[in-house]
Amino acid sequence: MPHNPIPCMICASSDSTLIVAKARLSGIEIYDLVRCPACQASFFSPMPTPDALNEHYSNDYTFYKGDNYKAQGKGAAFARKYLIPYKEQGKLLDIGCASGDFLAGVQQGSLWEVYGTDINPEVVASVQKKLGLDVRVGEIENIGFDAGFFDVIRVQDILEHVPQPLVFLKACRRIIADDGTFYLSVPNGLADAQNLVDYYAKYDSPAFSGAGHIYFLSFPSLKLLFKQAGFRIEKAYSYNFKKGLRSFSILPKSKHWKRDLTPPVWSKPQSQPQGTHAHQQKKRSAAYYDFQFMKDEMFKLPGVHAYAQDLSFVLKPL
Ligand SMILES: [Zn+2]
């Protein structure tokens, strides 16, 4: 589609970005979803303003709900499997910590000190009150942690939401110790963008990026970002292959694939659908959570595979 080419936000390639779809984030504003032919990253254009992003997150609390025991169990299993063998004690930061249950689990399962951040002030206040954890509100670039303070930083499904991924990653690099470990998971941008592209092609109507993703980072674009921010890839894993194959229509798309891509009707006051949060809320044994954790880990294949829906990385400072 012809348009005024904008430079790539990731690799600054001089190749013209292409509009691959139109999309919405929140409200009625329509954005272009553009793709860089050089690094294959896609992103919203123009980049949504901080106000538009805040509006989106204040409308959607689904990020912050779930099974608290399960999230805590996962944190404790993570501590037993990855943190304690690495160091008996240390400092962990979870950026985008939402309910804080993962951190609470790490704290229960180890001697590690835990810290969190989230952009939602109400969520942070409730985590502080409920769990008594050191959780700060705001963006990592502007939160005053000392340089090299953390042994481990965890960033799960956050990078695709931030307006400036490189600035974000550089801020992480500043506060992680030189021998620290950075656990980062992110959707495979090509798979993640494909549903928005397909929706727009099929319905000629802007897809709703309901999960709030504004960047769709391909592996080459991630690799470049990591290097520019001062990280090297120690390990890479791919997972959620079935979902990825559905995104690319190699497997038939699920029956309800368009449900999450259809913009909600904004003229009506929003109400939470009944039953959305009816997750299991029952405390199980540590062995149960360790088993679940290991089961999830087993479905992660080493390396970066094109058809995976999600990627996770273990990064080390350069
Ligand atoms: Zn690019």
Side-chain angles (χ1 to χ4, degrees):
M1 278 170 252
H3 75 127
N4 287 332
I6 59 153
C8 176
M9 304 279 282
I10 303 294
C11 73
S13 158
S14 56
D15 292 354
S16 302
T17 49
L18 306 166
I19 299 178
V20 289
K22 300 238 178 223
R24 285 182 193 191
L25 180 66
S26 198
I28 54 164
E29 195 170 347
I30 296 170
Y31 300 87
D32 291 333
L33 181 68
V34 303
R35 179 167 297 165
C36 168
C39 74
Q40 298 287 308
S42 300
F43 46 88
F44 273 46
S45 174
M47 204 29 72
T49 61
D51 282 351
L53 291 170
N54 284 338
E55 188 197 336
H56 182 79
Y57 294 117
S58 59
N59 279 334
D60 190 346
Y61 280 87
T62 54
F63 300 102
Y64 303 109
K65 309 259 171 156
D67 182 334
N68 307 104
Y69 289 125
K70 194 173 160 193
Q72 286 179 20
K74 200 172 172 184
F78 178 82
R80 285 189 284 266
K81 171 92 171 73
Y82 291 122
L83 297 180
I84 297 168
Y86 172 55
K87 268 185 181 177
E88 202 167 327
Q89 289 187 41
K91 296 188 183 78
L92 170 111
L93 173 66
D94 189 15
I95 300 176
C97 68
S99 71
D101 288 302
F102 178 87
L103 288 173
V106 170
Q107 202 180 41
Q108 286 158 20
S110 72
L111 298 170
W112 279 60
E113 281 174 46
V114 299
Y115 300 80
T117 72
D118 204 278
I119 55 162
N120 187 314
E122 287 163 51
V123 165
V124 167
S126 102
V127 175
Q128 285 165 341
K129 198 173 155 200
K130 189 178 78 169
L131 300 169
L133 298 174
D134 185 344
V135 174
R136 303 184 187 184
V137 65
E139 282 148 7
I140 198 63
E141 304 83 293
N142 309 317
I143 294 178
F145 290 118
D146 290 340
F149 188 70
F150 293 104
D151 301 290
V152 168
I153 297 180
R154 174 184 184 255
V155 172
Q156 181 139 337
D157 298 334
I158 298 295
L159 197 60
E160 66 276 20
H161 297 269
V162 303
Q164 293 182 287
L166 181 58
V167 172
F168 175 92
L169 290 171
K170 281 183 170 168
C172 295
R173 176 63 193 95
R174 189 186 74 79
I175 57 176
I176 198 167
D178 287 343
D179 63 349
T181 306
F182 188 18
Y183 292 92
L184 181 133
S185 62
V186 61
N188 169 13
L190 285 175
D192 196 26
Q194 193 58 44
N195 284 322
L196 277 75
V197 172
D198 289 350
Y199 183 94
Y200 183 63
K202 189 158 186 213
Y203 298 103
D204 197 24
S205 164
F208 174 53
S209 185
H213 298 180
I214 51 176
Y215 274 96
F216 300 83
L217 298 164
S218 64
F219 179 61
S221 63
L222 288 165
K223 215 165 113 180
L224 185 68
L225 283 170
F226 297 155
K227 195 174 166 211
Q228 286 177 338
F231 290 105
R232 67 177 171 83
I233 299 172
E234 185 171 76
K235 286 177 188 157
Y237 299 97
S238 307
Y239 59 108
N240 279 338
F241 285 90
K242 196 171 176 186
K243 204 173 163 197
L245 290 167
R246 284 185 161 157
S247 291
F248 290 114
S249 299
I250 295 166
L251 285 176
K253 286 196 190 290
S254 79
K255 214 164 96 187
H256 305 294
W257 75 279
K258 56 186 187 291
R259 193 171 51 192
D260 293 339
L261 299 163
T262 305
V265 180
W266 293 99
S267 56
K268 284 185 190 166
Q270 283 196 295
S271 62
Q272 288 288 351
Q274 289 296 311
T276 311
H277 308 305
H279 295 284
Q280 175 203 357
Q281 288 279 357
K282 187 179 165 209
K283 192 167 183 178
R284 313 269 190 152
S285 70
Y288 171 84
Y289 293 117
D290 281 356
F291 168 72
Q292 291 297 333
F293 184 80
M294 290 313 295
K295 203 175 75 178
D296 289 347
E297 295 290 285
M298 270 167 53
F299 284 104
K300 294 181 179 174
L301 294 188
V304 171
H305 300 279
Y307 295 121
Q309 185 73 23
D310 293 287
L311 306 173
S312 75
F313 296 93
V314 180
L315 304 173
K316 293 294 248 182
L318 277 169

